[in-house]
Amino acid sequence: MEQYESDSLSAAQTAAMRRSLTSGRGALTRRSMLRAGGVGALTVGGLASLSACGIPPAKREGQGPASTDFSAKEKTLSFSNWTEYMDVSEDEKSRPSLEAFAKRTGIKVKYTEDINDNVEFFGKIKPQLAAGQDTGRDLICVTDWLAARIIRLGWAQKLDPAHLPNAYANLSPQFRRPDWDPGRAYSYPWTGISTVIAYNAKATGGRKVDSVTQLLDDPALKGRVGFLTEMRDSVGMTLIDMGKDPGKFTDADFDAAIGRLQKGVDKKQIRRFTGNDYTSDLDKGDLAACLAWAGDVIQLQADNPDIKFAIPSAGYITSSDNLLVPANSRHKTNAEKLIDYYYELPVAAQLAAYINYVCPVDGVKDELAKIDPELANNTLILPDKAMAAKSRAFRSLSSAEETAYEEKFAKLIGA
């Protein structure tokens, strides 16, 4: 009998998720992160649900009957998403792209902003998924590590390519082959989240900061450098700077990256490791330069012209939030139609113009330019070919690897 990996969380993994959800990327409110504050703390129940005693083994493909699809008879679907992750009208009373979809297809979308963080949301739907029951959701949007977990457990439905012609044709090459879902058999990205270098030109005296090497070794930046409390971002960017592929690294490579960061701590080059609270320090100039998330940079630049960004010549880390159809959902075909709809170029442009995250749809620039030429030329939203070629993904980790790596990273940052 095949042995399945336990999906329980170690103390190190739990601590890492707490950091993420209270101050890291999990705490982002998407588009409104600099306006209204955090999106909600991780609940004890949600974390306990994820770290409880093991998850039942996943069904392999072909085991058991396929989920019954009621799409032909029931012209509806339920879509769970993050807050501020969908276009809204100026009066904030409607969602134009969703309304246009309903008008065209006759499919009514029950749209719910009930994902405040990955762990808490997984805690909500895990009992039904584990019991082989309908979660009441036909489409969900979760970050890549959780998408990988759900797929591995057999709790996502395989998508029908015949229903996804636009998605298949227009998906940007940089998002086509994640190691956790080769060929996008179960998922399609909603947005990308890029980790770049941001700097305050006033604080650097006008000097550009464009590499991890510079962050760690430039004496002019000593004590004014920030790295992130998200392990995959800080270690991933350091691995890239060392000439290593974050999609293929070894234990020795990881240890070397930790060692390099430790030197930055020991010689007080690094001021601190931060969650998204680096934004205020960077804005004021207390941090001259740091690792940053592209969505933050776009928001900061709107109010402070001294905030600049750079893409290291060695490359940068990109993660993604992804659309999945949960196992046993009632309206798989309707959900696939909605996924495909958002890969139509005009619709993708409409969404990107509102949420300002990396658009995973190739060829959308001309359509976005009709809405906002400035956004169409912003490579943090639409990476050009040169930038996209530098994008790297942090590889999937086994539970044992994640436990070991998070323990070493926690020691580094003093968590």
Side-chain angles (χ1 to χ4, degrees):
M1 180 178 177
E2 181 176 354
Q3 295 298 309
Y4 290 90
E5 171 189 342
S6 171
D7 226 59
S8 58
L9 294 181
S10 68
Q13 289 171 293
T14 300
M17 288 183 180
R18 287 188 189 279
R19 290 197 305 273
S20 174
L21 298 169
T22 55
S23 62
R25 195 170 66 212
L28 298 180
T29 60
R30 275 33 193 183
R31 189 171 180 269
S32 64
M33 61 201 138
L34 296 182
R35 295 182 301 178
V39 296
L42 172 65
T43 65
V44 174
L47 197 58
S49 174
L50 195 57
S51 59
C53 57
I55 290 174
K59 291 182 178 179
R60 289 174 291 183
E61 187 179 345
Q63 286 186 321
S67 300
T68 302
D69 189 355
F70 295 90
S71 293
K73 295 181 179 180
E74 299 175 1
K75 295 297 183 181
T76 184
L77 73 92
S78 177
F79 180 9
S80 285
N81 206 349
W82 298 80
T83 57
E84 302 288 345
Y85 232 19
M86 179 66 73
D87 58 297
V88 298
S89 61
E90 289 187 7
D91 62 9
E92 299 187 353
K93 293 182 179 180
S94 65
R95 303 186 185 280
S97 63
L98 283 178
E99 290 190 356
F101 173 79
K103 184 176 180 179
R104 182 202 298 182
T105 64
I107 299 170
K108 183 178 180 180
V109 182
K110 179 185 177 183
Y111 184 76
T112 309
E113 295 179 322
D114 61 345
I115 304 180
N116 290 321
D117 61 63
N118 287 286
V119 177
E120 182 183 57
F121 180 68
F122 189 57
K124 292 179 183 178
I125 64 175
K126 174 180 172 285
Q128 290 94 341
L129 291 171
Q133 299 172 352
D134 179 10
T135 65
R137 299 166 176 86
D138 302 298
L139 195 62
I140 62 175
C141 182
V142 294
T143 305
D144 44 19
W145 67 265
L146 181 54
R149 184 182 295 246
I150 291 172
I151 292 169
R152 184 174 72 242
L153 291 167
W155 292 346
Q157 295 195 51
K158 194 170 187 178
L159 302 175
D160 185 346
H163 297 156
L164 298 160
N166 293 303
Y168 181 81
N170 296 334
L171 177 59
S172 173
Q174 77 179 94
F175 294 103
R176 283 191 176 271
R177 297 176 181 84
D179 65 353
W180 47 269
D181 186 18
R184 292 288 180 180
Y186 294 88
S187 69
Y188 270 90
W190 182 249
T191 56
I193 304 168
S194 297
T195 305
V196 301
I197 292 176
Y199 61 98
N200 186 318
K202 185 176 181 180
T204 65
R207 295 173 63 243
K208 183 177 183 180
V209 182
D210 60 3
S211 72
V212 170
T213 291
Q214 191 175 357
L215 290 175
L216 291 174
D217 297 335
D218 187 343
L221 300 176
K222 185 174 181 178
R224 299 187 296 154
V225 169
F227 277 74
L228 294 166
T229 55
E230 298 276 357
M231 180 267 288
R232 287 168 175 81
D233 293 301
S234 287
V235 174
M237 291 290 282
T238 304
L239 284 167
I240 292 170
D241 189 72
M242 295 168 62
K244 302 297 182 178
D245 184 349
K248 299 178 180 178
F249 67 89
T250 64
D251 287 349
D253 295 332
F254 182 89
D255 289 344
I258 289 290
R260 191 164 181 223
L261 289 167
Q262 186 66 59
K263 289 181 181 178
V265 172
D266 293 343
K267 66 181 183 181
K268 301 188 185 306
Q269 180 78 7
I270 297 174
R271 181 186 183 95
R272 65 191 185 103
F273 288 83
T274 74
N276 66 342
D277 53 326
Y278 67 81
T279 54
S280 59
D281 285 350
L282 183 64
D283 188 45
K284 291 183 294 184
D286 292 341
L287 284 177
C290 62
L291 294 187
W293 293 303
D296 286 356
V297 176
I298 293 172
Q299 296 291 329
L300 285 168
Q301 287 180 325
D303 297 317
N304 186 344
D306 289 323
I307 302 301
K308 311 292 182 182
F309 77 93
I311 304 299
S313 59
Y316 65 102
I317 289 287
T318 299
S319 57
S320 57
D321 284 337
N322 307 272
L323 300 173
L324 298 176
V325 179
N328 297 300
S329 67
R330 292 177 62 87
H331 309 108
K332 175 175 176 284
T333 297
N334 291 346
E336 290 167 337
K337 288 180 179 179
L338 187 64
I339 294 172
D340 199 58
Y341 170 73
Y342 279 100
Y343 274 80
E344 294 179 12
L345 301 186
V347 182
Q350 183 176 354
L351 181 67
Y354 183 81
I355 66 175
N356 293 173
Y357 277 77
V358 177
C359 179
V361 182
D362 199 23
V364 77
K365 184 172 184 177
D366 289 346
E367 292 293 338
L368 185 54
K370 296 175 184 178
I371 302 172
D372 189 326
E374 186 175 346
L375 291 180
N377 290 312
N378 190 327
T379 54
L380 293 180
I381 297 174
L382 296 182
D384 56 25
K385 289 184 178 180
M387 181 173 168
K390 296 178 182 179
S391 174
R392 304 286 183 269
F394 199 95
R395 71 172 173 82
S396 297
L397 302 177
S398 68
S399 290
E401 285 178 322
E402 187 162 357
T403 295
Y405 293 168
E406 288 289 5
E407 286 177 349
K408 292 175 181 178
F409 187 68
K411 182 178 180 181
L412 166 72
I413 68 176

